[in-house]
Amino acid sequence: MAVAQILKVKGRSILTAVAGDTVHSIVKTLAEKRIGAVVIVSGTGAIAGIVSERDVVRAMAAHGAKALDLTAKDIMTAKVRTCTPADSEAELMSLMTVNRIRHLPVLENDKLAGMISIGDVVKFRMEAIEHEAEEMKLYIAQAG
């Protein structure tokens, strides 16, 4: 259960915005918090979309500086891929690779429970590889 383990280490905090927020305010949040995406939520807290750095770049390419005055609803990706705490590392990597995405909101009981990025998955995998290598070294040292 990689997602649950990742959330246990990184925490479950998640930054959200609403559809009426300007792209400018979202860009400021992305820069200040050093993150790559924010989940757009409805008044009930349900996921309405996601705005990533890629969405901002596409809007800038299409509208120039005027893109900053657009709203999240204007540029967000409405079809949001999600994961659950029970999903494995392999499932995350597959979902991210197939859909060419770098951020997955985590849903638990149909409520936002966190956000997983490709960086989180890589960090988790690297730590697992390092742990396996240490275990193998110990095994070899004890067997020898």
Side-chain angles (χ1 to χ4, degrees), residues 125-138:
R125 184 65 189 132
M126 292 300 298
E127 289 170 356
I129 290 169
E130 289 170 7
H131 178 73
E132 290 170 10
E134 287 301 315
E135 291 289 322
M136 186 63 76
K137 287 178 189 176
L138 282 172

Side-chain angles (χ1 to χ4, degrees), residues 21 25 32 42 66 69-70 72 81 111 114 140:
D21 287 349
S25 69
E32 288 169 4
S42 68
K66 292 179 184 176
D69 297 325
L70 297 173
R81 305 286 182 187
K111 301 243 187 268
I140 292 169

Side-chain angles (χ1 to χ4, degrees), residues 17-31 38 40 50-61 63-76:
V18 296
D21 287 349
T22 65
V23 172
H24 184 256
S25 69
I26 291 172
V27 167
K28 283 181 69 172
T29 299
L30 294 175
V38 295
I40 308 304
I50 191 167
V51 173
S52 71
E53 296 161 320
R54 289 180 182 171
D55 294 314
V56 173
V57 168
R58 286 183 191 110
M60 295 294 290
H63 303 285
K66 292 179 184 176
L68 295 173
D69 297 325
L70 297 173
T71 65
K73 184 177 181 179
D74 296 326
I75 72 162
M76 70 184 186

Side-chain angles (χ1 to χ4, degrees), residues 2-13:
V3 172
Q5 292 170 328
I6 292 170
L7 290 178
K8 186 176 180 181
V9 172
K10 80 171 274 193
R12 292 177 171 257
S13 67

